[in-house]
């Protein structure tokens, strides 16, 4: 499935799986550094036709000169995505520990959190920090296991990463609603996502056959 549909669709699912009267309308995209958060934002913007003729642009949200120079996100930025008439504000946040205060500030202003985790690496140090803040603020969480097209992202490794996230949430006192998170399997680089590991592998194979990019 095109990645542009994955985020708003999954956010809308929160409404039917919880006591919320309406789906969240804003989400912070949070992650450990280099787990693919900003690449995910590029893919979402491109699929939502928010980039005009620049659908293949990279690190669109990292507009500050220092961000371009260092290759990391320093300041949070918000953009709007639309899917089947549902508008969602998505906030790209820093992944580096030096800018944790910026992440905490953003989490005060959103309805949900999209947690991006490298499927091969699993939760890392900054993952724990951002999860702790999201749990404390009572935000529903969507888990995006990214880079599932890599050789190390086996079915067992993805299951372990998902289990590690569950254990992390539980250890931090997450509510039952937060523990019932939705998982999306994605390759932000190739701009696709799936609701199961098996489907993700089909999309990965199709993407490789096409030389990369979103499968038909």
């Amino acid at each position: 499935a095109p990645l542009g549909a994955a985020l708003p669709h999954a956010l809308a699912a929160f409404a039917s799986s919880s006591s919320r009267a309406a789906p969240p309308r804003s989400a912070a995209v949070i992650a450990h550094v280099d787990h693919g958060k900003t690449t995910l934002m590029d893919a979402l913007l491109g699929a939502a036709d928010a980039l005009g003729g620049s659908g293949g642009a990279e690190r669109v949200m990292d507009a500050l000169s220092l961000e371009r120079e260092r290759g990391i996100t320093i300041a949070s930025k918000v953009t709007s995505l639309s899917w089947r008439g549902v508008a969602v504000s998505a906030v790209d946040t820093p992944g580096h520990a030096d800018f944790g205060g910026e992440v905490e500030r953003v989490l005060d202003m959103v309805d949900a959190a999209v947690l991006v985790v490298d499927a091969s690496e699993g939760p890392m140090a900054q993952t724990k920090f951002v999860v702790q803040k999201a749990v404390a603020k009572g935000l529903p969480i969507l888990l995006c296991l990214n880079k599932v097209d890599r050789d190390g992202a086996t079915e067992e490794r993805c299951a372990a990463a998902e289990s590690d996230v569950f254990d992390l949430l539980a250890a931090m006192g997450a509510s039952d609603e937060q523990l019932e998170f939705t998982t999306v399997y994605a390759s932000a680089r190739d701009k696709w996502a799936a609701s199961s590991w098996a489907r993700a592998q089909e999309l990965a194979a199709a993407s490789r056959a096409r030389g990369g990019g979103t499968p038909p």
Side-chain angles (χ1 to χ4, degrees):
L3 195 44
L7 174 58
H9 175 68
L11 288 176
F14 282 129
S16 60
S17 62
S18 72
S19 59
R20 293 173 178 264
R25 289 291 187 263
S26 60
V29 183
I30 57 178
H32 182 79
V33 65
D34 290 335
H35 276 203
K37 173 180 46 59
T38 300
T39 304
L40 174 70
M41 291 299 300
D42 286 342
L44 289 168
L45 287 166
D49 293 326
L51 299 178
S54 303
E58 296 182 356
R59 298 181 58 222
V60 174
M61 302 292 282
D62 285 348
L64 300 178
S65 58
L66 188 58
E67 291 177 322
R68 293 284 181 176
E69 178 183 331
R70 296 183 59 184
I72 61 173
T73 301
I74 295 174
S76 299
K77 299 96 173 173
V78 62
T79 189
S80 182
L81 304 167
S82 180
W83 183 77
R84 294 187 179 177
V86 177
V88 177
S89 296
V91 187
D92 186 22
T93 64
H96 198 283
D98 288 349
F99 309 107
E102 178 79 0
V103 179
E104 189 170 5
R105 181 181 67 84
V106 168
L107 291 175
D108 279 328
M109 299 184 287
V110 297
D111 302 322
V114 178
L115 176 63
V116 182
V117 174
D118 184 313
S120 299
E121 293 188 353
M124 303 292 282
Q126 187 66 1
T127 311
K128 297 175 183 178
F129 173 82
V130 297
V131 166
Q132 180 184 32
K133 299 304 180 182
V135 167
K137 297 178 188 304
L139 298 176
I141 294 170
L142 164 66
L143 173 60
C144 175
L145 287 181
N146 191 29
K147 307 183 184 181
V148 296
D149 55 328
R150 306 291 176 85
D151 291 339
T154 62
E155 184 173 13
E156 292 76 15
R157 185 68 198 96
C158 288
E162 187 172 358
S163 179
D164 288 345
V165 170
F166 181 92
D167 291 345
L168 185 59
L169 287 166
M172 293 180 175
S175 66
D176 289 344
E177 179 183 2
Q178 289 173 316
L179 290 172
E180 294 175 358
F181 55 84
T182 299
T183 300
V184 172
Y185 303 82
S187 170
R189 179 187 60 183
D190 285 341
K191 303 178 176 60
W192 53 259
S195 59
S196 70
W197 183 86
R199 177 57 179 156
Q201 296 313 296
E202 293 176 358
L203 292 172
S207 182
R208 283 192 293 269
R210 289 166 53 89
T214 309

